[in-house]
Amino acid sequence: MEIEMTPQVWFEKWCRDERASLSAILVRMEKGEMRTYATDPGGELLDVSQEMMATKRASIEELNGIIAKIDAEKL
């Protein structure tokens, strides 16, 4: 039995997949396996991993809220 891929179904799947992806990246960053760098205006290399981890955590929390609303609507 195949589920019809309506825009709502597609969006729910995307939210869940995006959350899983961000969570996997965040785990690797927290373990120090991944680093994120940027350059300042003077061309010096800066480690911005902490800022990126905070951004990913915020995105995961936002997706959790969206997914909770979707799940509540199904009840």
Side-chain angles (χ1 to χ4, degrees):
M1 180 181 206
E2 194 170 312
I3 297 174
E4 182 183 351
M5 190 59 79
T6 65
Q8 294 84 1
V9 170
W10 178 89
F11 181 69
E12 178 183 354
K13 181 180 178 339
W14 179 87
C15 286
R16 292 181 189 280
D17 290 348
E18 185 69 8
R19 179 180 62 179
S21 175
L22 288 171
S23 296
I25 291 169
L26 183 60
V27 166
R28 291 189 65 199
M29 291 180 85
E30 288 173 339
K31 289 180 178 180
E33 295 174 5
M34 293 177 71
R35 310 293 304 168
T36 304
Y37 297 95
T39 53
D40 68 8
E44 187 165 334
L45 193 61
L46 306 171
D47 184 346
V48 293
S49 298
Q50 293 300 318
E51 293 89 343
M52 290 305 297
M53 283 190 277
T55 300
K56 293 198 183 313
R57 283 187 197 99
S59 296
I60 291 167
E61 287 302 314
E62 185 176 358
L63 287 167
N64 283 340
I66 293 168
I67 292 167
K69 287 180 185 177
I70 291 169
D71 289 344
E73 290 175 0
K74 289 181 178 181
L75 297 176

